[in-house]
Amino acid sequence: MLDFNVNEPIVLAITGASGTQYGLSLLEFLLEANHRVDLIFSKNALLVAKLELDIDWTKLNAQELKFALVEYIFVTNRNEKRSSITEEQLASIKNSLNIWQEENIAASVASGSYRVSGMIVSPCSMGTLAHIAMGTSHNLISRAADVMLKERKKLILVVRETPFSTIHLRNMLSLSEAGVIILPAIPAFYYRPHSLQDQIDFITGKTLDSFGIDSALFKRWNT
Ligand SMILES: Cc1cc2nc3c(=O)[nH]c(=O)nc-3n(C[C@H](O)[C@H](O)[C@H](O)COP(=O)(O)O)c2cc1C
């Protein structure tokens, strides 16, 4: 199976599929658990975030986006199921986060010589899925994913679309054959979710499970 070392930074890409909150929830968990994260937010994902969450990050540079994201996730919109965090923790969280723009093809994550534990794309649009499946490396997200494949590193795509076309399914199959984990953002009901946050936590927890990180974000089936 693909190589994995959880002590190295994790590449997280958020693309323009519906469900910005899946990406933000992963970012929240990873940073709070002291993981270093290299984040790439696609331009289209910033637009979807504006439409879904009423927050306009479309005109920010990478540094401004980093501060806005940390403020939004850990202060303004802090998940009510989590406890509040201190100024000291906030400072350390900011230090653990690198943000790259999708056109910055010279970013460290574009090279196989930069050591990372793997990459998660959440949510993953069908457009980005197709670029990764075809190996186009058309922006930093598909290039970083291409690097994961060539370096035999863990790559998880939290795809979201419904219904899937035959082309989507073919792209998923060819990536699955290349060792990629295709993890559709499909909620379950057996654990009796009460809120949207429960559903988001389920997908986030399943994604972390697949990456090899314990989270306790959802109740496991245990009869
Ligand atoms: C509100 C909104 C919701 C969207 N939802 C999805 C979706 O769930 N899945 C998908 O594949 N594309 C979706 N799209 C279309 C993608 O944003 C579009 O294909 C875009 O080119 C993806 O670019 P990216 O992969 O570079 O982020 C949505 C677009 C908008 C505006």
Side-chain angles (χ1 to χ4, degrees), residues 86-117:
T86 63
E87 285 297 321
E88 207 180 354
Q89 281 173 302
L90 265 188
S92 128
I93 278 167
K94 282 179 194 152
N95 274 335
S96 306
L97 176 62
N98 277 328
I99 297 209
W100 307 105
Q101 284 171 321
E102 68 167 47
E103 55 277 288
N104 185 359
I105 213 68
S108 46
V109 293
S111 170
S113 64
Y114 178 66
R115 304 191 68 161
V116 298
S117 54

Side-chain angles (χ1 to χ4, degrees), residues 3-173:
D3 184 24
F4 180 66
N5 177 352
V6 85
N7 297 318
E8 308 287 2
I10 296 165
V11 185
L12 173 63
I14 300 180
T15 69
S18 185
T20 315
Q21 292 190 65
Y22 293 128
L24 298 185
S25 162
L26 267 175
L27 186 61
E28 177 180 30
F29 181 91
L30 291 172
L31 290 174
E32 205 169 352
N34 299 317
H35 291 280
R36 284 176 291 146
V37 177
D38 283 285
L39 175 72
I40 318 160
F41 226 117
S42 79
K43 278 186 181 162
N44 292 326
L46 291 172
L47 187 61
V48 173
K50 187 175 168 188
L51 296 168
E52 290 188 335
L53 303 174
D54 264 341
I55 30 171
D56 192 352
W57 293 327
T58 54
K59 294 182 185 66
L60 304 184
N61 64 33
Q63 192 65 7
E64 290 165 340
L65 179 58
K66 170 169 161 166
F67 281 79
L69 265 172
V70 170
E71 183 77 13
Y72 179 81
I73 294 173
F74 292 98
V75 184
T76 328
N77 195 48
R78 176 64 168 166
N79 180 340
E80 62 202 22
K81 286 160 76 182
R82 321 269 188 269
S83 51
S84 57
I85 56 168
T86 63
E87 285 297 321
E88 207 180 354
Q89 281 173 302
L90 265 188
S92 128
I93 278 167
K94 282 179 194 152
N95 274 335
S96 306
L97 176 62
N98 277 328
I99 297 209
W100 307 105
Q101 284 171 321
E102 68 167 47
E103 55 277 288
N104 185 359
I105 213 68
S108 46
V109 293
S111 170
S113 64
Y114 178 66
R115 304 191 68 161
V116 298
S117 54
M119 176 171 179
I120 304 172
V121 185
S122 177
C124 181
S125 74
M126 294 302 103
T128 290
L129 171 87
H131 278 292
I132 300 172
M134 297 302 143
T136 61
S137 291
H138 81 303
N139 67 9
L140 186 60
I141 296 174
S142 56
R143 168 60 188 169
D146 207 50
V147 169
M148 297 305 118
L149 289 168
K150 84 184 176 74
E151 301 292 336
R152 303 294 193 264
K153 299 263 178 179
K154 187 158 269 199
L155 175 60
I156 300 177
L157 306 183
V158 183
V159 293
R160 210 235 64 100
E161 186 51 277
T162 195
F164 289 128
S165 73
T166 307
I167 289 168
H168 301 152
L169 292 165
R170 280 205 186 104
N171 286 336
M172 285 188 244
L173 178 61

